Amino acid sequence: MAESVSVGPSRRWRKKPFITDPKTRWGLYIGALVYLVLAVSSVPVNWERVWEGLDRGWRFVEGFLVPDFASRWGDIVQGMQESLTMTVTSTVVGILISVPIGIGAARNIAPAPVYAVCRGIIALSRSFQEIIIAILFVAMFGFGPFAGFLTLSFATIGFLSKLLAEDIEDIDESQAEAVRATGGGWWQIVNYAIQPQVMPRLIGLSLYRLDINFRESAVIGIVGAGGIGATLNTAIDRYEYDTAGAILIIVILIVMVAEYSSGYVRKWVQ
């Protein structure tokens, strides 16, 4: 039986470092460490306030472990209905607006002026976080779910349009060339060459955005944009941590159901 023979000492191979000069490399390491220490030390921390907050934090944890669904069930149901309504309507409206903007923002099929305008709309929509837009719409239209609907629709446009435009720019150009060679116009190229390639991705992104909008509806409600977030904020302000825990549990369950459902739908589409 053949035996393996060692032809030499074993060698350990290591990947070549990005910065080959050891002095420069260690200088950057030390500089980053010093900066991190200085940055952390510059953060003001009121340790007395932290110690007092531990007790309140523990009461919140206790409320989460022993939730109260009964005391404010009516408010919870109303807030949840508002959140679900805002989520569905804003996602649908956002998708309907995002599709033409996404097509116009694709460099390979849109004229330069249309491309510039659509890219500007996407940049504007993505420049502001949802909570900032919610504050603006609450100031303009008052408290309630209508401000939340506008906020989530605005955020959906920037999210879907950008990703859809990138998917269109990454399509297989040979299919578009084949349709163009048969004499097809711009609309035929979009409908027969681009739409089949990007539709599964668009459906998956839409379901993902639906999930995001529901979670964001719980955040923007804190500033008065309706939804379950307003109910949660009221419960926390009243130190009703058991009710707040019940609301958080419901939100978690709905997000989990939406996540698993969207996963099955994406598999079915693809």
Side-chain angles (χ1 to χ4, degrees), residues 181-235:
T182 61
W186 181 86
W187 177 250
Q188 283 74 24
I189 295 174
V190 172
N191 192 31
Y192 296 107
I194 297 177
Q195 182 266 134
Q197 297 188 58
V198 301
M199 182 58 71
R201 174 72 170 164
L202 177 60
I203 294 175
L205 290 174
S206 301
L207 293 174
Y208 180 51
R209 187 64 211 186
L210 182 71
D211 181 20
I212 295 176
N213 283 345
F214 177 74
R215 287 185 280 113
E216 289 295 335
S217 69
V219 177
I220 61 177
I222 296 177
V223 297
I228 194 62
T231 309
L232 176 62
N233 188 45
T234 302

Side-chain angles (χ1 to χ4, degrees), residues 9 36 41-42 85 117 141 151 179 199-200 217 225 227 233 250 254 264:
L36 179 62
S41 62
S42 65
T85 301
V117 172
F141 303 105
T151 300
V179 175
M199 182 58 71
S217 69
N233 188 45
I250 294 176
I254 293 180
Y264 283 116

Side-chain angles (χ1 to χ4, degrees), residues 86 130-151 219-227 230:
M86 287 191 301
E130 283 85 348
I131 197 72
I132 305 300
I133 301 299
I135 294 173
L136 174 63
F137 283 136
V138 167
M140 293 175 60
F141 303 105
F143 297 99
F146 182 64
F149 160 75
L150 294 177
T151 300
V219 177
I220 61 177
I222 296 177
V223 297

Side-chain angles (χ1 to χ4, degrees), residues 42-260:
S42 65
V43 177
V45 180
N46 187 343
W47 293 107
E48 181 180 356
R49 177 67 179 81
V50 172
W51 177 257
E52 294 175 354
L54 291 177
D55 181 59
R56 286 189 288 269
W58 176 247
R59 291 203 304 269
F60 184 84
V61 173
E62 289 180 333
F64 189 82
L65 296 176
V66 188
D68 179 14
F69 294 92
S71 297
R72 301 191 60 191
W73 178 248
D75 295 334
I76 294 175
V77 171
Q78 181 180 356
M80 196 60 63
Q81 289 176 345
E82 289 183 355
S83 285
L84 292 174
T85 301
M86 287 191 301
T87 299
V88 175
T89 55
S90 63
T91 304
V92 172
V93 172
I95 293 172
L96 294 177
I97 300 177
S98 297
V99 171
I101 294 178
I103 294 174
R107 188 188 299 271
N108 55 338
I109 62 172
V114 177
Y115 172 82
V117 172
C118 292
R119 281 291 175 177
I121 295 174
I122 294 175
L124 178 64
S125 177
R126 292 173 53 83
S127 298
F128 302 99
Q129 212 273 339
E130 283 85 348
I131 197 72
I132 305 300
I133 301 299
I135 294 173
L136 174 63
F137 283 136
V138 167
M140 293 175 60
F141 303 105
F143 297 99
F146 182 64
F149 160 75
L150 294 177
T151 300
L152 297 178
S153 299
F154 187 78
T156 301
I157 293 171
F159 176 85
L160 281 180
S161 298
K162 176 178 175 57
L163 296 179
L164 177 60
E166 292 177 352
D167 288 337
I168 294 176
E169 291 177 346
D170 293 336
I171 63 170
D172 183 6
E173 292 289 347
S174 61
Q175 298 187 29
E177 290 296 332
V179 175
R180 189 178 293 111
T182 61
W186 181 86
W187 177 250
Q188 283 74 24
I189 295 174
V190 172
N191 192 31
Y192 296 107
I194 297 177
Q195 182 266 134
Q197 297 188 58
V198 301
M199 182 58 71
R201 174 72 170 164
L202 177 60
I203 294 175
L205 290 174
S206 301
L207 293 174
Y208 180 51
R209 187 64 211 186
L210 182 71
D211 181 20
I212 295 176
N213 283 345
F214 177 74
R215 287 185 280 113
E216 289 295 335
S217 69
V219 177
I220 61 177
I222 296 177
V223 297
I228 194 62
T231 309
L232 176 62
N233 188 45
T234 302
I236 294 177
D237 289 342
R238 295 180 179 180
Y239 300 103
E240 298 174 354
Y241 296 125
D242 49 358
T243 301
I247 295 173
L248 291 177
I249 290 174
I250 294 176
V251 171
I252 292 172
L253 291 176
I254 293 180
V255 170
M256 291 178 63
V257 171
E259 177 67 21
Y260 286 116

